[in-house]
Amino acid sequence: MAEIPMVTALRRHAKERPDASAVTVDGLTVTFAELDERTEVIGHALAREGIGPGDRVTIALPNSHAFMAAVIATLKLGATPQPVAARLPRVERADIIELADPKFVIGADPRDHPGRRCITDLAELCVAPHNEPLPRLPLR
């Protein structure tokens, strides 16, 4: 069986079965088309923040649609998502972030991580509509 990267699979499902359920959390379902579009918007916002191939993005959001979208948007940019538990004590999260040295942190109070670009939630990225899809990166 051939391996298909998650981003490629998402885009394929969004095209072939746009109204099919992609993620359900707390009884709320997001379709493949909705997830693909949301990750494009977030990906463009992250790209405006300077995130690109090889960068690390720490994601400290609770299990949610936003968490999934942040992970997939990061992958679409060729960056590496680093999930950490949202309930992690601040001191432990700070130690992990210090060690990992991510370029961007999602789901953390900027006051907890001086000198790092942090946002508490995705709404802070001022996500705006985009005119074109994110570039397709070569498979690694």
Side-chain angles (χ1 to χ4, degrees):
M1 177 160 68
E3 292 184 18
I4 300 171
M6 182 169 32
V7 169
T8 302
L10 171 63
R11 287 177 169 144
R12 182 179 299 167
H13 284 309
K15 183 177 180 181
E16 295 173 0
R17 345 175 325 177
D19 297 326
S21 299
V23 178
T24 300
V25 178
D26 294 332
L28 179 64
T29 298
V30 173
T31 67
F32 282 108
E34 291 167 335
L35 183 59
D36 188 47
E37 176 58 23
R38 176 107 171 114
T39 59
E40 288 288 312
V41 171
I42 295 166
H44 279 282
L46 288 172
R48 286 191 300 273
E49 293 290 334
I51 305 302
D55 291 329
R56 190 174 299 110
V57 177
T58 298
I59 302 169
L61 296 171
N63 293 339
S64 60
H65 295 113
F67 171 81
M68 289 298 300
V71 167
I72 294 169
T74 300
L75 291 170
K76 282 185 171 186
L77 294 173
T80 302
Q82 179 202 20
V84 296
R87 295 184 184 168
L88 205 59
R90 184 192 59 76
V91 172
E92 290 181 35
R93 186 182 62 238
D95 287 345
I96 291 170
I97 289 172
E98 180 70 26
L99 181 63
D101 195 26
K103 190 166 187 179
F104 200 77
V105 181
I106 300 171
D109 188 325
R111 295 172 294 189
D112 292 343
H113 307 284
R116 297 220 178 260
R117 179 70 176 108
C118 299
I119 58 170
T120 56
D121 62 44
L122 292 175
E124 292 179 51
L125 283 176
C126 300
V127 290
H130 56 87
N131 294 328
E132 54 189 59
L134 291 168
R136 295 336 194 224
L137 298 174
L139 300 178
R140 298 187 251 164

